[in-house]
Amino acid sequence: MLLPGPDHINSLLGILIRFRREPVAITCNIQQMYYNFLVVPEHRDYLRFLWMNDGGEVKEFKMNVHLFGATSSPGVATFGLRRLANDYKSLSPLASKFLQNEFYVDDGVTSVATAEDAKGLITALREMCSKGNIGLHKFLSNNKEVLATVPISERGEFTKAIDLLTETLPSERTLGMKWCLETDTFHFGIPELQNKPSTKRGALSTIAQIYDPMGLISPLVLKGKQILQKVVASEQLWDQLMCSDDKQK
């Protein structure tokens, strides 16, 4: 009975490219994205579920908010976020633009020209989201001055315990990419090949684990795909060991 609605989710590739445009980068996350948006009472029957208590009694409940896993949740939440950005655009056009264009579901990433711009954007963004009772957390930046203005409880997990004055910024996951905050670069971790069998199944598994939505290392990944293509063409079985030449490659 639930429909996904129109696809208003921003392009992942576009967001990542714009993220690399300016020198000062910012990322954040919306706390419990779907739970922030109420289901109107007349639609709650579509989100009924059964729950068994400790005594074995089964009761029926209805969700009052949208939930993770429902087909309709991403479309509704994205619409709600954009509505919030449009309703309070006068507070900060820049923050409104960030909410509308630089979020991929619940993850927001952007870049600005200076640390002062970044600090102003974070302040405006938090104020705008508070109008809709939406909480932001897991703030990250490649600029320590910007990160220092964010309460420790709202920073990314691996930056909470470090001393910004003396310690090096860590690496964090950003939209599936490994982002090193200190050097402001994307890193790729290639799975340890020795832990995979030298078979068609092992080759496919290794290649599939390399996440590169921008194609930054596609010339390297292509070599692995060529090996897999050759093995598939030879009609080897999925768990049949490769010849020594293919294994070495």
Side-chain angles (χ1 to χ4, degrees):
M1 299 299 293
L2 300 178
L3 298 175
D7 183 8
H8 289 309
I9 296 176
N10 293 310
S11 163
L12 176 61
L13 179 60
I15 291 174
L16 285 171
I17 289 175
R18 290 190 295 274
F19 179 55
R20 310 310 305 150
R21 185 165 52 189
E22 300 287 354
V24 181
I26 308 167
T27 73
C28 62
N29 181 272
I30 296 176
Q31 293 178 326
Q32 299 180 322
M33 172 76 161
Y34 299 153
Y35 288 1
N36 287 299
F37 300 98
L38 289 171
V39 180
V40 293
E42 58 267 31
H43 291 166
R44 291 175 187 173
D45 277 335
Y46 294 104
L47 295 175
R48 287 180 294 178
F49 62 96
L50 301 176
W51 183 266
M52 181 182 291
N53 61 24
D54 293 338
E57 180 185 8
V58 177
K59 289 190 174 184
E60 185 182 272
F61 291 90
K62 302 175 186 178
M63 289 295 297
N64 294 332
V65 295
H66 294 273
L67 72 157
F68 183 82
T71 304
S72 54
S73 295
V76 171
T78 301
F79 174 84
L81 194 63
R82 291 189 171 188
R83 174 64 184 269
L84 174 71
N86 188 61
D87 286 350
Y88 295 99
K89 186 177 181 179
S90 59
L91 289 177
S92 170
L94 191 61
S96 175
K97 184 179 179 181
F98 181 20
L99 280 179
Q100 294 191 61
N101 300 329
E102 310 301 344
F103 267 84
Y104 189 78
V105 190
D106 59 345
D107 289 307
V109 305
T110 192
S111 59
V112 293
T114 67
E116 290 304 315
D117 289 342
K119 289 185 282 188
L121 176 58
I122 290 174
T123 299
L125 192 63
R126 293 173 68 192
E127 181 184 358
M128 185 173 291
C129 286
S130 69
K131 299 294 184 182
N133 294 317
I134 292 175
L136 297 175
H137 65 158
K138 297 182 180 179
F139 278 96
L140 293 172
S141 177
N142 58 338
N143 187 293
K144 292 182 178 181
E145 180 185 341
V146 173
L147 206 53
T149 64
V150 179
I152 294 177
S153 61
E154 296 178 10
R155 295 180 195 168
E157 192 62 36
F158 295 114
T159 60
K160 290 180 179 179
I162 69 170
D163 185 340
L164 295 177
L165 295 177
T166 60
E167 295 185 65
T168 300
L169 291 174
S171 295
E172 293 262 11
R173 284 283 174 185
T174 300
L175 293 179
M177 303 283 287
K178 187 177 181 182
W179 178 38
C180 177
L181 279 71
E182 187 68 29
T183 61
D184 192 23
T185 53
F186 284 138
H187 289 198
F188 294 88
I190 307 302
E192 295 183 15
L193 298 180
Q194 56 265 41
N195 293 336
K196 297 288 184 182
S198 300
T199 62
K200 181 164 67 174
R201 191 187 307 276
L204 177 61
S205 176
T206 300
I207 293 168
Q209 288 184 55
I210 302 171
Y211 182 69
D212 180 23
M214 290 193 286
L216 297 176
I217 57 170
S218 56
L220 300 175
V221 178
L222 181 60
K223 293 184 179 294
K225 291 182 177 180
Q226 288 174 324
I227 296 170
L228 178 63
Q229 184 183 49
K230 179 183 176 183
V231 174
V232 170
S234 68
E235 298 185 354
Q236 290 187 26
L237 299 178
W238 279 101
D239 295 308
Q240 180 181 344
L241 290 176
M242 297 179 184
C243 68
S244 57
D245 184 46
D246 288 337
K247 179 179 178 180
Q248 181 60 33
K249 289 180 181 178

Short mmCIF file of all heavy atoms in Angstrom, two decimals, residues 7 15 49 73 174 191 201:
data_model
loop_
_atom_site.label_atom_id
_atom_site.label_comp_id
_atom_site.label_asym_id
_atom_site.label_seq_id
_atom_site.Cartn_x
_atom_site.Cartn_y
_atom_site.Cartn_z
N ASP A 7 11.20 10.90 -6.82
CA ASP A 7 12.59 10.80 -6.36
C ASP A 7 13.20 12.21 -6.29
O ASP A 7 13.61 12.77 -7.30
CB ASP A 7 13.40 9.91 -7.30
CG ASP A 7 14.84 9.72 -6.84
OD1 ASP A 7 15.15 10.15 -5.71
OD2 ASP A 7 15.64 9.16 -7.60
N ILE A 15 26.93 15.89 -5.22
CA ILE A 15 27.26 16.33 -3.86
C ILE A 15 28.75 16.15 -3.58
O ILE A 15 29.41 17.04 -3.05
CB ILE A 15 26.42 15.55 -2.83
CG1 ILE A 15 24.95 15.95 -2.93
CG2 ILE A 15 26.93 15.80 -1.42
CD1 ILE A 15 24.04 15.12 -2.06
N PHE A 49 1.75 -2.51 13.33
CA PHE A 49 2.62 -3.67 13.53
C PHE A 49 2.21 -4.40 14.81
O PHE A 49 1.54 -3.83 15.68
CB PHE A 49 4.10 -3.26 13.59
CG PHE A 49 4.45 -2.34 14.73
CD1 PHE A 49 4.98 -2.84 15.92
CD2 PHE A 49 4.27 -0.96 14.62
CE1 PHE A 49 5.32 -1.99 16.96
CE2 PHE A 49 4.61 -0.11 15.65
CZ PHE A 49 5.14 -0.62 16.83
N SER A 73 9.23 6.37 3.36
CA SER A 73 9.97 7.23 4.28
C SER A 73 10.98 8.17 3.63
O SER A 73 11.02 9.36 3.96
CB SER A 73 10.66 6.39 5.36
OG SER A 73 9.70 5.73 6.16
N THR A 174 32.59 9.45 4.98
CA THR A 174 31.72 10.50 4.47
C THR A 174 31.05 10.00 3.20
O THR A 174 31.71 9.80 2.18
CB THR A 174 32.53 11.78 4.16
OG1 THR A 174 33.18 12.23 5.37
CG2 THR A 174 31.63 12.87 3.64
N PRO A 191 40.75 -4.39 -0.03
CA PRO A 191 40.70 -5.58 0.84
C PRO A 191 41.96 -6.43 0.69
O PRO A 191 42.56 -6.49 -0.39
CB PRO A 191 39.47 -6.34 0.31
CG PRO A 191 38.65 -5.29 -0.38
CD PRO A 191 39.62 -4.30 -0.95
N ARG A 201 34.84 -16.45 -7.62
CA ARG A 201 34.05 -15.87 -6.53
C ARG A 201 34.89 -14.89 -5.71
O ARG A 201 34.44 -13.81 -5.33
CB ARG A 201 33.52 -16.99 -5.62
CG ARG A 201 32.48 -16.52 -4.61
CD ARG A 201 32.12 -17.63 -3.62
NE ARG A 201 31.73 -18.87 -4.27
CZ ARG A 201 30.49 -19.11 -4.72
NH1 ARG A 201 29.55 -18.20 -4.60
NH2 ARG A 201 30.20 -20.28 -5.30
#
